[in-house]
Amino acid sequence: MSSTAAHSPPRNFTHPFLDLDGDKLREECGVFGAINAADASAATALGLHALQHRGQEAAGITSFDGTEFYSRRGLGHVAENFSSSEAIGELPGTMAAGHVRYSTTGGSGLRNVQPLYAELASGGFAVAHNGNISNAKSLRADLVGKGSIFQSTSDTEVIIHLVATSRYPTIADRLVDALRLVEGAYALIVMTPDGMIACRDPLGIRPLVMGRMGDAILFASESVAFDVIGAELIREVEPGEMLQVDFAGEIKSVHPFGKANPRPCIFEHVYFSRPDSFFAGHSVYEARKAIGAQLAIESPCEADLIVPVPDSGVPAAIGYAQQSGLPFELGIIRSHYVGRTFIQPSDTARHAGVKRKHNANRGLVAGKRIVLIDDSIVRGTTSSKIVEMMREAGASEVHFRVASPPTAHSCFYGVDTPERSKLLAAQMELEPMREFIKADSLAFISIDGLYRAVGSRGRDKACPQFCDACFTGDYPTSLTDLSMTEQKDAQLPFADPKAA
């Protein structure tokens, strides 16, 4: 690589994993790629900005000008690293790929910021990866034993070494050879001197879409990234599909991994994707409204107001209100000038942290029976503080409705969930959970109801249409890196409530 910008953290950057409660699932990562684009790096930076919600720890872009690869990576947001003409000027060429991340495997730190780059015998090789390789530790140990030297602790680097050690003649065949050894989830954008390769795991767990802007072909984690640059969404990259695009504009599609029943992550509908994206053929916004409507059918409530927990609970709350006939009101006001709530030295300071981000609309909720709508409950700590805040504001009753089933299992496919022992639904049945958050009532949408809301007839237990392991414990791939004890614990329906 000709240049690498290794930035120290911005002055106002606070590590996102110092989240007060770990009470939201962290939104995996986001990838974007452009080939045959006059301003490939600028388009990539804009695309990454639209995907910022998927990863706020770090961002990186690698470009290729036909001769050399260039890279710029930094901790913090896209705008903090790629907003200047000087930054984009360091990344020339008609092909570029970018990545925004939260660390799932490998931890934080600049050496793990993607795209990762290596000089192989065939030339430069850059890869941006959304997902998680569930046998990365086993593969890494084998590669190190054979002499591979790793420069990062990211599971993505395993793919690079597998490609480097493959004996197949072409880079595409070597990538296929490498991915056949990999288990887990991946949406990949790869750059080589011959062009760009985009690939999605055989189950399609992680999302990836293809677009066009003039002569340029684009790839992104979500369709909204195309909207912001004026590009056209062509289609989703199919599960197990590998697309090769060269500098002449030729597109080659192959399915080298055989056929499998797709299982895209259903949490994309619930929370991860931006509401203005399309996922699995459906508008995410409309799907979330339908989830809220189904929740109202399954768990109605006598109340005066429907109040969303902003911002993730808003579309579901609109659907719940429309279905129930109860008024939708902004009973909680969110400050958009406060990031995540961070670890503080005392309970008082932690509670103040929640109030800096969310504040009750006291004049609206006082004396009212309210139904709070949120997308999920993870540890339950933030939920309990919001219920308490509503009571302090004078609400006469506070009911809680959740637009997803109980999150009782950890994710091993690229979502940074807390360990299972810290998931509230893994420790408690429904009534103890209600008591924990101190709500007057608590209800979650059923797994079948969630499926119906996103366009299915219900969950087919023999062949689920989505990856829903965080709700059901039904993991669609092997989990090689987990010990047998860990695998058994991951699939237990409930721990002893007395231990919570």
Side-chain angles (χ1 to χ4, degrees):
M1 264 182 285
S2 294
S3 66
T4 300
H7 299 143
S8 58
R11 186 173 297 176
N12 63 343
F13 176 73
T14 309
H15 196 290
F17 294 123
L18 300 183
D19 187 0
L20 165 63
D21 300 304
D23 213 15
K24 286 288 183 186
L25 301 184
R26 299 183 178 97
E27 305 99 316
E28 321 153 24
C29 300
V31 295
F32 188 96
I35 182 170
N36 299 323
D39 299 306
S41 295
T44 299
L46 286 172
L48 290 180
H49 192 273
L51 299 173
Q52 187 75 85
H53 60 286
R54 299 186 72 90
Q56 299 176 42
E57 177 183 332
I61 296 176
T62 298
S63 71
F64 179 66
D65 67 357
T67 303
E68 293 189 70
F69 286 84
Y70 303 82
S71 186
R72 182 181 179 90
R73 301 176 297 159
L75 301 178
H77 290 182
V78 175
E80 294 169 322
N81 291 285
F82 298 104
S83 61
S84 68
S85 57
E86 290 81 9
I88 299 301
E90 294 178 9
L91 300 163
T94 61
M95 180 172 68
H99 188 271
V100 289
R101 85 184 297 255
Y102 281 131
S103 57
T104 52
T105 295
S108 59
L110 195 62
R111 64 175 176 164
N112 290 325
V113 179
Q114 297 185 36
L116 297 185
Y117 176 85
E119 288 282 351
L120 307 185
S122 56
F125 185 91
V127 58
H129 169 211
N130 169 215
N132 208 62
I133 298 171
S134 57
N135 63 338
K137 291 180 182 178
S138 303
L139 291 172
R140 184 186 182 102
D142 183 62
L143 287 162
V144 170
K146 293 177 180 177
S148 291
I149 300 173
F150 282 74
Q151 300 299 312
S152 76
T153 56
S154 169
D155 61 333
T156 307
E157 192 178 357
V158 168
I159 296 173
I160 296 176
H161 286 273
L162 290 174
V163 170
T165 55
S166 173
R167 297 187 177 184
Y168 279 82
T170 70
I171 196 69
D173 288 340
R174 290 163 75 178
L175 180 59
V176 170
D177 186 38
L179 294 178
R180 282 181 174 149
L181 298 174
V182 164
E183 68 182 36
Y186 54 83
L188 300 175
I189 296 176
V190 173
M191 295 197 303
T192 76
D194 297 323
M196 181 168 284
I197 301 172
C199 186
R200 196 173 175 197
D201 66 74
L203 297 178
I205 298 174
R206 297 271 71 84
L208 192 63
V209 291
M210 177 170 63
R212 183 186 297 275
M213 184 176 62
D215 294 331
I217 296 297
L218 313 170
F219 298 98
S221 294
E222 293 183 37
S223 62
V224 69
F226 300 153
D227 295 339
V228 301
I229 62 172
E232 171 193 3
L233 171 66
I234 298 175
R235 63 175 177 88
E236 288 192 351
V237 177
E238 297 173 4
E241 182 180 22
M242 179 177 285
L243 286 159
Q244 302 172 55
V245 186
D246 64 21
F247 292 106
E250 181 179 350
I251 303 173
K252 179 182 179 182
S253 170
V254 294
H255 289 77
F257 307 112
K259 290 188 176 181
N261 294 314
R263 291 188 63 178
C265 173
I266 200 168
F267 221 91
E268 293 287 343
H269 280 307
V270 173
Y271 175 66
F272 292 139
S273 292
R274 262 180 53 163
D276 44 347
S277 284
F278 283 80
F279 174 69
H282 294 274
S283 159
V284 173
Y285 178 76
E286 293 299 331
R288 288 179 186 165
K289 282 176 61 181
I291 292 169
Q294 180 65 31
L295 181 58
I297 292 170
E298 293 183 357
S299 302
C301 185
E302 292 187 6
D304 301 309
L305 301 175
I306 305 302
V307 174
V309 177
D311 287 325
S312 56
V314 171
I318 293 172
Y320 193 103
Q322 290 176 347
Q323 177 64 41
S324 66
L326 296 171
F328 169 95
E329 296 285 0
L330 296 180
I332 300 173
I333 306 301
R334 179 190 172 195
S335 170
H336 291 272
Y337 302 98
V338 177
R340 293 179 176 270
T341 46
F342 304 107
I343 287 178
Q344 302 289 345
S346 69
D347 288 340
T348 300
R350 280 194 291 269
H351 189 61
V354 172
K355 287 194 170 185
R356 283 198 304 271
K357 188 172 183 179
H358 295 116
N359 190 48
N361 190 347
R362 185 177 298 271
L364 180 71
V365 304
K368 299 293 195 307
R369 300 169 299 170
I370 65 170
V371 180
L372 292 172
I373 308 288
D374 205 357
D375 62 276
S376 60
I377 292 179
V378 182
R379 298 191 192 208
T381 44
T382 296
S383 301
S384 65
K385 288 180 174 62
I386 289 175
V387 170
E388 182 182 356
M389 182 171 63
M390 291 292 98
R391 294 199 189 281
E392 289 177 350
S396 59
E397 295 178 13
V398 182
H399 303 271
F400 213 105
R401 297 293 181 267
V402 186
S404 64
T407 303
H409 304 269
S410 297
C411 177
F412 301 99
Y413 301 121
V415 183
D416 192 62
T417 51
E419 61 187 65
R420 188 156 190 264
S421 63
K422 296 178 181 178
L423 295 171
L424 191 67
Q427 301 301 312
M428 299 179 184
E429 295 277 6
L430 184 64
E431 180 57 20
M433 291 176 69
R434 183 199 65 77
E435 293 176 355
F436 180 86
I437 68 170
K438 298 181 175 62
D440 290 288
S441 70
L442 171 66
F444 296 79
I445 193 171
S446 68
I447 189 68
D448 280 336
L450 178 59
Y451 269 71
R452 285 193 292 272
V454 298
S456 299
R457 293 182 178 179
R459 186 178 191 270
D460 183 345
K461 294 181 180 179
C463 186
Q465 305 95 308
F466 292 93
C467 178
D468 54 23
C470 56
F471 306 133
T472 65
D474 180 6
Y475 294 95
T477 74
S478 300
L479 301 174
T480 297
D481 287 345
L482 291 186
S483 68
M484 292 304 294
T485 300
E486 289 173 319
Q487 290 190 43
K488 183 178 179 182
D489 177 67
Q491 296 177 350
L492 285 174
F494 284 99
D496 181 359
K498 295 179 181 179

